[in-house]
Amino acid sequence: MELKDREIDMKQLFAFIRKEFYHVFRDRRTLLILFGFPVVQILLFGYALSSEVKNIGIAIQDNARDVNSSEIVNRIKTSSYFQVKDEIVNYKDVESRFKDGSIKCAIIFPANFGEDLYRKDGAQIQLLADASDPNTATIVTNYLTAIIKAYQQDLNPGTALSYQIVPQLRQLYNEEQNGSLNFIPGVIALIFMIVSTALTSVAVVREKELGTMEILLVSPFKPIMVLIAKAIPYLVLSLVNFIIILLLSVFLLDVEIRGSLVLIFAESILFIITCLSLGLLISNVTDSQQTAMLIAMMGMMLPTLLLTGFMFPLENMPWIFQVISHIVPSRYYYTIIKAVMLKGMGFSYVWKETLILVGMSVVLLSIALKRFKIRL
């Protein structure tokens, strides 16, 4: 009798296990979470992401135009680490290139470079780097210094050098190489994504799961007012978080805000609206808080971390991931906040990214409202 009871218990156990397998395989979203996200993460971390610097934009101002400077320039051009842009003629060009983000470093050869090379004091080369991202700036200057030293060694191999090339390094926008300057804009984008996107999507879905959404809809409130009422608290919370981050950055991390505070707040509000629109859209295509949270956290946080240039240079990634990064809203906000906060640039330098965020907000909010009406 006891043996039969054990057999019945085992049959029931296997029946429940089989049932759970059926539930898993019938739910496409669960399958995507189980098998899709791990594959994407493996591809990203194992193939696409690298701490090396490749295809970095660099400008050259060759005032010498002699044999020695030309050979160094050719070595830089043949390196896979750099993409040499059109040659510049003065320091104003260097400054404008840094501000529009087309280059990360500039090399300036003095007019008498070839002659100074054989003098006792040696020749000098000026390297200017954009240190708003201190890690990239350090790596770039190290690579360039190595190329210059290798050329110097090849001029007189096997013997002590009777002359030398001395690179003069200068870091722009972050001469102290304060890592917080690169860290803070990424943290702000992450916080907005978590507070505005994830929590907004869960707040609306919660009403559906509890069955209180129907009560709200039969009330005098219009559907669009329901969405607005859900979004406004997270807009306020996000702005409070933003103010706290700015205060900590200035008084605790010694970060100097060089740009306009009004522009920074305006751009931040725009990005929050974009995140809220995305959260409302997620809430209208999901039926459970768990699904909404997984989509918001896994689908939004990982792209914010990996595809904005916050942790890994976008130039290092394969072209397909660079293309995908263009649909990540936080990429544009990260570019804006770095340009305004760290470099002191105005709206004329970030208007393209601003228009893209406006367009994303309009499209996402329109789809969210349409889906909301269809579902109800």
Side-chain angles (χ1 to χ4, degrees):
M1 187 71 177
E2 185 177 347
L3 181 61
K4 289 184 178 180
D5 291 337
R6 288 183 178 179
E7 290 180 354
I8 294 173
D9 291 339
M10 291 301 294
K11 289 181 179 179
Q12 291 177 343
L13 175 62
F14 284 117
F16 275 103
I17 292 174
R18 187 168 59 251
K19 178 184 71 68
E20 291 300 322
F21 272 111
Y22 288 154
H23 280 303
V24 171
F25 289 124
R26 286 172 182 171
D27 190 347
R28 295 181 180 178
R29 294 173 181 171
T30 303
L31 289 176
L32 177 62
I33 295 170
L34 287 174
F35 302 109
F37 285 122
V39 171
V40 171
Q41 292 181 52
I42 290 296
L43 290 175
L44 285 173
F45 283 100
Y47 173 61
L49 304 179
S50 172
S51 59
E52 295 182 356
V53 173
K54 296 179 181 178
N55 301 320
I56 292 296
I58 186 172
I60 298 175
Q61 181 180 341
D62 189 358
N63 297 316
R65 298 191 180 278
D66 54 28
V67 175
N68 301 108
S69 63
S70 298
E71 289 184 1
I72 295 177
V73 171
N74 288 334
R75 292 196 178 202
I76 295 173
K77 288 182 177 180
T78 56
S79 172
S80 62
Y81 300 115
F82 304 105
Q83 283 186 344
V84 179
K85 307 296 182 179
D86 296 335
E87 290 194 8
I88 53 180
V89 295
N90 54 50
Y91 281 96
K92 290 184 178 180
D93 289 340
V94 175
E95 185 73 15
S96 62
R97 295 289 184 87
F98 274 127
K99 286 185 175 181
D100 63 27
S102 60
I103 64 171
K104 296 292 185 181
C105 186
I107 305 176
I108 299 176
F109 292 89
N112 54 349
F113 175 76
E115 298 175 3
D116 292 344
L117 191 61
Y118 298 95
R119 294 179 180 176
K120 183 178 181 181
D121 295 335
Q124 295 182 340
I125 298 176
Q126 186 175 23
L127 305 181
L128 301 175
D130 179 0
S132 59
D133 184 348
N135 294 329
T136 300
T138 301
I139 294 172
V140 168
T141 53
N142 288 340
Y143 283 172
L144 289 173
T145 303
I147 292 175
I148 293 170
K149 287 184 177 180
Y151 172 75
Q152 179 182 355
Q153 186 67 45
D154 292 342
L155 284 178
N156 200 357
T159 61
L161 298 177
S162 58
Y163 46 83
Q164 59 181 342
I165 303 172
V166 183
Q168 290 184 339
L169 306 180
R170 182 186 175 190
Q171 310 284 8
L172 299 183
Y173 311 117
N174 185 16
E175 295 186 9
E176 299 82 10
Q177 295 191 14
N178 183 0
S180 300
L181 294 185
N182 187 54
F183 177 73
I184 290 170
V187 171
I188 295 173
L190 267 178
I191 290 177
F192 285 166
M193 272 293 175
I194 294 174
V195 175
S196 302
T197 303
L199 298 185
T200 302
S201 64
V202 170
V204 177
V205 175
R206 186 186 302 116
E207 300 288 349
K208 298 177 183 179
E209 287 188 339
L210 296 176
T212 55
M213 182 61 76
E214 289 78 5
I215 298 176
L216 292 174
L217 293 177
V218 298
S219 68
F221 256 25
K222 295 182 180 179
I224 188 173
M225 298 303 295
V226 174
L227 295 182
I228 293 176
K230 286 290 182 183
I232 286 179
Y234 297 104
L235 173 62
V236 175
L237 290 175
S238 298
L239 286 176
V240 171
N241 278 324
F242 181 61
I243 294 173
I244 293 173
I245 293 173
L246 288 183
L247 292 175
L248 291 175
S249 302
V250 173
F251 296 105
L252 187 62
L253 301 176
D254 296 326
V255 174
E256 179 184 357
I257 300 177
R258 300 184 177 182
S260 168
L261 278 175
V262 175
L263 180 58
I264 292 174
F265 268 91
E267 296 287 355
S268 299
I269 292 174
L270 173 60
F271 181 62
I272 293 172
I273 293 174
T274 306
C275 295
L276 291 174
S277 303
L278 185 58
L280 293 175
L281 177 59
I282 293 173
S283 71
N284 287 318
V285 297
T286 55
D287 297 315
S288 68
Q289 298 181 56
Q290 183 179 10
T291 304
M293 181 62 72
L294 285 173
I295 293 176
M297 298 292 285
M298 300 295 291
M300 295 298 107
M301 278 192 62
L302 282 179
T304 299
L305 284 171
L306 306 179
L307 298 178
T308 60
F310 169 37
M311 295 182 65
F312 304 94
L314 292 174
E315 295 85 356
N316 294 6
M317 301 181 184
W319 68 269
I320 183 63
F321 292 102
Q322 295 187 36
V323 172
I324 294 174
S325 70
H326 285 89
I327 63 174
V328 179
S330 49
R331 168 182 175 167
Y332 303 101
Y333 178 72
Y334 179 70
T335 301
I336 292 171
I337 207 70
K338 279 186 63 178
V340 179
M341 180 184 292
L342 307 185
K343 298 182 181 181
M345 290 193 263
F347 182 74
S348 60
Y349 288 94
V350 296
W351 66 269
K352 292 182 181 179
E353 291 80 3
T354 303
L355 287 181
I356 292 174
L357 287 180
V358 171
M360 287 184 172
S361 300
V362 172
V363 171
L364 291 172
L365 189 57
S366 300
I367 297 175
L369 290 174
K370 184 176 180 181
R371 292 286 299 179
F372 187 79
K373 293 178 181 179
I374 291 176
R375 293 174 59 85
L376 301 174

